[in-house]
Structure formats: C-alpha cells, structure tokens
Amino acid sequence: MKKLFVLTAIAVCSSLMVKAQKDGITRFSLGPELGVATGTFSNFAGLGIGATIQAEHFFQENISGTAIFGLVDYFGTSYDNNLKYKSTVILPLRVGGRYYIGDGFHLGAQIGLGFVSGPLSSTGFAYSPQIGYNFKTNKGKSIDATFKYDGYAISGGSLSALGIRVAYVL
C-alpha cells in the first residue's frame, strides 16, 4: 500500500509540474466508470462501479498522452443458495496515448499496472484499448465519454471487462 501511495504521489506531482510548464495543453478529467466483467472474470464478478482521474497532455493538436489512476469495484456474483463471491477491487495505473479524428472523436490505448484485491488478489499487467468522444458543454468545457476494454494479466489467470468512463474535463 505504501508503494501505491508513493507511485500516486509521484504521478500527481509530475502532472502538476507539466501543467505549470505547459499551461493550456494539459487537461485533467475526473469521473465515474461503469464496467461489466467478461470472460472467466464474469464467473465470480458482475457489475463494476468506480471513479478515475486522468491527465491528458497534448503533444500536437490531435495527439495526446494520457495517465490514469482510479478505483473500480466489481460486485461478486452468487454461486449457491445465499452464497456470494466477494467483490473484486481493481486500482488501474496506466499511461497511453490518444489520436483525435475530427472534432472530439478519439481512439486510444493505455498500458500499465492493475492492483487487484479480492478472490484473485495480485498485481499485473494492465491494458485498455479505447474509443470515445468529447462533448462540448454550453460553458465551453467538455465531457469525455470513453468506451473501453480493460484487461489485466495476473498470476493465476486474467481478468477482463467492458466499460464506459464519463468524465468532466477540468
């Protein structure tokens, strides 16, 4: 847990320093995530609910780098009369990139680590291909809606989920 705190602190401080040096081309977004377990993960987990914060730094008008951290809790499924699996909590810590096609439409991918606790507690390789759109608000801000596939290669198997992240861009 101490390592996780230190990694998070370093990521946040680095993001803030980038923001101070390159004002106007780094954005932060914060929002909820919904996921549905797929594959063998769906044998003991179902719906996932959580929240993430993401930093996005633009290198060009249509190319950006991303870093994300958050928490998603997948509820355990029932397997016998009144017996239920424990929930699985995943803390994703990933970096990646986005390519903007047109006005707001984007394709992206992220890789990193997934800290998993629950029936299969482990730390593993995380990956997430994504497709999304940034909707403009009346006040000039935007809402980022991203559909994604999250995969986690952990010891003892793998976990996967389809998800959506709807975040307010700060």
Side-chain angles (χ1 to χ4, degrees):
M1 196 63 170
K2 288 180 184 179
K3 289 180 186 179
L4 178 61
F5 177 75
V6 170
L7 286 172
T8 304
I10 290 170
V12 169
C13 290
S14 298
S15 298
L16 292 175
M17 287 189 293
V18 167
K19 174 77 173 161
Q21 294 173 357
K22 305 280 187 175
D23 194 28
I25 58 173
T26 298
R27 304 184 309 187
F28 294 89
S29 61
L30 175 66
E33 285 204 22
L34 290 175
V36 177
T38 60
T40 57
F41 186 33
S42 65
N43 293 338
F44 58 90
L47 179 67
I49 297 174
T52 54
I53 185 166
Q54 177 172 278
E56 182 175 16
H57 178 76
F58 283 85
F59 298 106
Q60 294 180 3
E61 185 177 337
N62 60 344
I63 297 174
S64 67
T66 59
I68 194 166
F69 178 74
L71 181 143
V72 182
D73 186 358
Y74 288 90
F75 302 114
T77 58
S78 298
Y79 65 91
D80 204 0
N81 293 336
N82 298 326
L83 296 175
K84 190 174 184 178
Y85 287 106
K86 291 182 179 181
S87 68
T88 301
V89 176
I90 300 176
L91 291 107
L93 178 60
R94 300 185 303 254
V95 296
R98 278 188 176 171
Y99 178 72
Y100 283 83
I101 303 169
D103 188 32
F105 181 71
H106 56 81
L107 300 172
Q110 296 175 331
I111 60 170
L113 294 174
F115 302 94
V116 180
S117 66
L120 293 175
S121 293
S122 184
T123 300
F125 176 72
Y127 54 96
S128 180
Q130 307 171 348
I131 185 171
Y133 190 82
N134 285 8
F135 298 92
K136 296 291 181 190
T137 65
N138 291 339
K139 296 183 179 182
K141 294 288 186 174
S142 62
I143 304 291
D144 179 20
T146 303
F147 295 98
K148 60 197 184 100
Y149 174 85
D150 290 337
Y152 301 92
I154 60 172
S155 62
S158 64
L159 308 176
S160 60
L162 291 174
I164 183 170
R165 177 179 187 265
V166 180
Y168 181 72
V169 180
L170 306 172

